[in-house]
Every structure is written in C-alpha cells, then in structure tokens.
Amino acid sequence: MKRLGRAELAELLGPHPPSDAFWSRAIDAKRAVIGVAPEVVGEELDAENPERARRNRRRRGERGPDGPLSTGDIVDVGDHSFVVVAVEETKAGGRRYRLDLVEPRSDE
C-alpha cells in the first residue's frame, strides 16, 4: 500500500493526469474511475504479438501487473482522500482503477 499526493500520481500517470474538474466531480460523486493505457502499466508482453500474450495469460487465469496503482493505495486530493478499491485489466492491456472517497474521521 502506498499513499500518493496529486503531484505524485500525475508523475505516475504520464502526460494526461486527472484534472481539477475530474477531482471536483469525484469528490461530489464520492467515487471515480481512472483509466491508464498499457504503456503506463509497463507490462512486459510478447513484442511480436502482445494480444496473443494477453490471451494466453487470461486463459491460464493469470492477471497482469496492477500498474501504477494497486488495491488499497490512497490518493490524497487536498483535504480529501480516495482509496483504490478495484483494479480491472482492459482488453488492450491498460487498467481501470476504481476509487472511493474515504469518509473523514470523526473525533467523537
């Protein structure tokens, strides 16, 4: 498990990190989904036929690497925090990260 700020997350995700508007909507909705391309995941695949490599791995019931985020990681956005609750591999080899807003602690 790791804890990242927005700047650290932006470095991991490359040239198109989530915008201020994305995070505002995520905070309002109390959840978000971030998608990343296969290149960001950094998965080592069969260079001659990457689709065949993914198909073979799925057939064996294996998952690829989670990529820049994993289940349980926390992303801090200002006074709010999101936790990665699921990682889904896309057909192309990218990832979708489902995040839920962490409710603030009550001091009572």
Side-chain angles (χ1 to χ4, degrees):
M1 183 185 100
K2 59 187 172 264
R3 189 171 203 132
L4 306 165
R6 278 185 64 181
E8 294 163 313
L9 180 65
E11 286 179 30
L12 291 175
L13 298 183
H16 304 291
S19 66
D20 291 341
F22 171 88
W23 289 117
S24 292
R25 287 190 305 273
I27 291 166
D28 290 344
K30 298 185 178 183
R31 67 183 66 150
V33 175
I34 295 175
V36 299
E39 301 80 41
V40 175
V41 175
E43 186 172 4
E44 294 296 324
L45 297 173
D46 177 350
E48 292 180 24
N49 193 335
E51 183 54 36
R52 181 180 64 206
R54 277 191 285 278
R55 239 187 350 262
N56 288 340
R57 191 185 66 239
R58 281 194 208 107
R59 191 178 11 231
R60 291 189 305 264
E62 298 172 2
R63 282 184 40 170
D66 285 345
L69 295 172
S70 296
T71 304
D73 288 352
I74 296 173
V75 179
D76 292 322
V77 181
D79 293 337
H80 302 280
S81 296
F82 287 86
V83 65
V84 178
V85 294
V87 179
E88 175 188 343
E89 183 175 356
T90 66
K91 279 190 171 191
R95 300 293 182 273
R96 282 188 203 101
Y97 301 102
R98 202 175 78 203
L99 296 93
D100 284 349
L101 184 66
V102 175
E103 293 297 323
R105 288 176 131 182
S106 173
D107 292 335
E108 299 172 14

